[in-house]
Amino acid sequence: MFIGGEKYNPIQAETFDVINPATGELIETVSSASSDDVEKAIQSCADAFNPWSQKSYAERAAVLSEISTVLKEKEYLEKLAVTLTKEQGKPLTESRREIEGVIGVIDYFTGLSSSLHTDFFENKNNQSYSFTLKKPLGVCVSILPWNMPTLILSWQMIPALLTGNTCLVKPSSVCPLTILELAALFHQAGLPAGVFNVVTGSGEKIGSQLAASPAVRKISFTGSVDAGRSIGVEAAKYNKRVTLELGGSDAMIVCDDVDIRDCASKAVQTKFFNGGQACISPKRIYVFESVFDQFVQAVLESVSKIRLGNGLSEKTTMGPLSSAGGQKQMIEFVASAKAEGAKILAGGKIPEGDEFKNGYFFEPTVITNVPPSSGLLKEEVFGPIMVINPVSDLDEAIFEANHSDFGLGASIWTNDIRRAKRGFEELEAGIVWVNQHTKVLPELPFGGVKDSGFGRENGYESLNDYLETKTVVFKF
Ligand code: NAD
């Protein structure tokens, strides 16, 4: 763990193992926080709150910018990327891009610090002036998933810190090591002790303690729908703010007026990015039937070029699943797809060969003609299975796309401006892309509707989620 500006190892603690998903080897044994450890971490954040919140935006932005400068040093970026690949499995190029994404988030938010403003009102009848002050909340908690741990940390933590809050982070037990390395680097760059603490261990146990603690004023949770729901219920009992960034089953609609080969190759790039373990990867692809066969053929050609392997090899373009549980889910999805009469056109199994035998690999898989009742369309498929179904027209495509409990992202691929407009107006999602999918920038609000959660990360408006508005009425 990392508490009060230093590494913290409780003497008698339960532990859990962090496994390299490409090799099955043990990387590190990490402590599970007891309730006393969690209390110690909350107290440390609470103690650090006053001095940190009393600094100006510019002073806090200067500290955060120093973190960005340190991360830009090749030596640190590379070290973090290697740890991320070892514990999460993604190819090194993707790990590097993730850390570069963290830098982008820091640079964006620190650049905003000079434009933060409050409101002023003049009431002549009442002979008063009124204005608002923006006050930080206090201790903010960040509960992280394993798929993009460092980027999501930055979405939650950078606006929280910039606005004067202190942060307690609970990483996923699949991937705690990169977050612990980052914590040490942040302090090396000048973040004061206690402003950013990390506790490791069971989400369920720690999550309910954090929700019940009076010192914790906000919980930002990114993860699965069920865990998010339980955090939401716990936090509501204590009137705490929450942001819930949950699962997704993004639809991608491919119309008949686009360059089909180009669109298919981009679909493959985005779908198999991070081994399909991205909340906003296109999980249900609906293609106009007039171009369906052509699209599927082009997808199969692109998929055949994916190089599966250990992410530490520069040749690898797709790594293993991050856990044995993820691999088992893929096996089960394929078995039920077969039973439901869907067509498995590529992959569908654990790859053969020595290189793969101890890791959690699964072949990049393409499945078509999946019935609407299938789990592949109703649940979140968090892995390398691409599902493609034909649709007769845009009405059917939009109906099928919206026929889901999820509503994170969606995309429409067309050169017809009227179709594009119908897509961004009618698709039920927090983000709609036209002619791309998965592009996320720090200035753009990010989040979902329906079971995909509520609240937004990123963008100027996310700063307000970490601030309380105080209204002052000043009568002369
Ligand atoms: P998960 O829900 O299993 O775990 C996420 C975190 O919550 C972990 O740190 C875990 O320890 C903790 N946790 C688990 N149960 C908890 C509880 N009852 N109370 C408090 N904390 C608890 O999710 P995961 O498997 O790590 O991540 C994958 C999921 O995250 C997918 O559903 C994916 O779509 C989603 N995700 C969403 C976004 C988004 O921005 N919407 C981004 C990335 C991932």
Side-chain angles (χ1 to χ4, degrees):
M1 294 178 234
F2 195 92
I3 301 178
E6 57 192 17
K7 206 169 162 182
Y8 169 74
N9 278 323
I11 298 156
Q12 281 182 318
E14 285 177 22
T15 58
F16 60 93
D17 292 340
V18 182
I19 304 290
N20 182 332
T23 61
E25 286 162 355
L26 174 72
I27 311 174
E28 189 86 71
T29 299
V30 175
S31 312
S32 279
S34 65
S35 58
D36 285 350
D37 300 326
V38 175
E39 200 42 57
K40 182 181 162 87
I42 297 173
Q43 192 55 50
S44 160
C45 280
D47 293 344
F49 175 68
N50 260 342
W52 180 247
S53 63
Q54 279 164 18
K55 286 184 191 295
S56 67
Y57 281 119
E59 285 170 319
R60 289 192 296 262
V63 176
L64 298 178
S65 294
E66 196 47 42
I67 294 175
S68 159
T69 307
V70 169
L71 291 180
K72 281 172 192 154
E73 284 181 34
K74 199 160 179 290
E75 173 201 345
Y76 293 124
L77 194 146
E78 198 57 24
K79 190 164 175 291
L80 288 164
V82 168
T83 306
L84 183 55
T85 289
K86 275 191 186 161
E87 65 175 343
Q88 202 273 352
K90 63 180 72 183
L92 262 180
T93 42
E94 291 184 16
S95 291
R96 292 185 190 114
R97 269 170 62 194
E98 187 175 325
I99 309 292
E100 283 159 7
V102 174
I103 295 169
V105 171
I106 300 176
D107 291 351
Y108 167 71
F109 278 107
T110 52
L112 285 182
S113 64
S114 56
S115 53
L116 284 162
H117 65 274
T118 53
D119 288 321
F120 176 79
F121 313 85
E122 186 178 353
N123 185 335
K124 290 220 161 70
N125 293 337
N126 185 34
Q127 290 191 323
S128 67
Y129 296 129
S130 304
F131 49 89
T132 56
L133 299 174
K134 296 282 185 179
K135 298 286 187 189
L137 308 176
V139 179
C140 293
V141 162
S142 175
I143 301 181
L144 299 173
W146 47 262
N147 66 327
M148 306 281 287
T150 66
L151 186 65
I152 291 167
L153 170 82
S154 70
W155 292 357
Q156 300 178 349
M157 193 199 90
I158 299 301
L161 291 179
L162 179 69
T163 47
N165 303 281
T166 53
C167 289
L168 177 53
V169 177
K170 209 303 277 173
S172 161
S173 301
V174 176
C175 278
L177 303 177
T178 322
I179 299 297
L180 288 164
E181 273 183 27
L182 268 179
L185 268 185
F186 289 175
H187 287 80
Q188 182 185 323
L191 201 62
V195 167
F196 176 71
N197 291 330
V198 183
V199 288
T200 44
S202 149
E204 234 165 289
K205 218 170 79 187
I206 299 176
S208 44
Q209 187 178 351
L210 293 172
S213 165
V216 171
R217 297 314 313 148
K218 159 143 196 187
I219 302 185
S220 302
F221 175 87
T222 303
S224 58
V225 175
D226 287 346
R229 199 170 269 134
S230 81
I231 273 289
V233 168
E234 285 298 309
K237 285 189 205 157
Y238 303 94
N239 289 330
K240 275 185 216 301
R241 287 195 196 188
V242 282
T243 300
L244 299 178
E245 297 286 0
L246 310 179
S249 181
D250 287 15
M252 167 173 175
I253 297 175
V254 180
C255 301
D256 55 2
D257 60 82
V258 287
D259 178 337
I260 292 297
R261 286 188 69 78
D262 180 58
C263 179
S265 123
K266 286 179 181 142
V268 170
Q269 270 170 36
T270 50
K271 170 64 217 179
F272 294 100
F273 166 75
N274 203 6
Q277 303 165 114
C279 51
I280 47 169
S281 81
K283 296 182 183 127
R284 297 173 295 135
I285 304 185
Y286 296 106
V287 183
F288 278 33
E289 56 199 6
S290 56
V291 291
F292 181 76
D293 289 345
Q294 196 191 341
F295 181 85
V296 170
Q297 201 46 47
V299 160
L300 293 174
E301 274 175 41
S302 277
V303 166
S304 68
K305 295 182 191 138
I306 294 175
R307 303 281 296 264
L308 194 57
N310 186 330
L312 289 177
S313 158
E314 298 284 355
K315 289 186 191 142
T316 295
T317 56
M318 191 180 107
L321 285 138
S322 296
S323 67
Q327 187 192 44
K328 185 166 164 271
Q329 273 176 5
M330 295 308 112
I331 296 167
E332 288 167 358
F333 273 126
V334 170
S336 44
K338 277 184 187 157
E340 290 158 351
K343 295 181 188 166
I344 322 284
L345 299 185
K349 55 184 181 8
I350 295 173
E352 284 159 16
D354 278 356
E355 191 191 346
F356 303 117
K357 72 172 193 279
N358 296 321
Y360 311 134
F361 290 93
F362 198 77
E363 289 179 347
T365 297
V366 179
I367 307 186
T368 63
N369 304 81
V370 176
S373 58
S374 167
L376 282 170
L377 295 173
K378 292 179 96 70
E379 294 161 35
E380 180 181 34
V381 180
F382 216 57
I385 298 180
M386 183 185 244
V387 173
I388 318 174
N389 268 2
V391 283
S392 52
D393 56 21
L394 191 53
D395 286 337
E396 188 186 351
I398 291 177
F399 174 83
E400 291 299 343
N402 289 341
H403 191 65
S404 168
D405 292 338
F406 297 101
L408 191 53
S411 66
I412 178 160
W413 298 65
T414 180
N415 283 307
D416 180 334
I417 198 164
R418 290 158 303 185
R419 286 173 166 173
K421 180 168 183 286
R422 281 200 62 196
F424 66 71
E425 289 284 357
E426 294 176 36
L427 286 167
E428 294 165 4
I431 313 152
V432 178
W433 294 274
V434 178
N435 295 326
Q436 58 171 253
H437 203 114
T438 308
K439 187 78 186 164
V440 174
L441 295 168
E443 60 269 35
L444 302 179
F446 181 94
V449 298
K450 303 201 274 188
D451 269 358
S452 294
F454 56 80
R456 295 290 178 265
E457 312 282 6
N458 287 339
Y460 185 85
E461 68 186 70
S462 71
L463 291 172
N464 280 323
D465 290 340
Y466 295 96
L467 288 166
E468 204 71 77
T469 300
K470 179 184 268 186
T471 306
V472 180
V473 182
F474 201 122
K475 185 165 164 72
F476 290 94

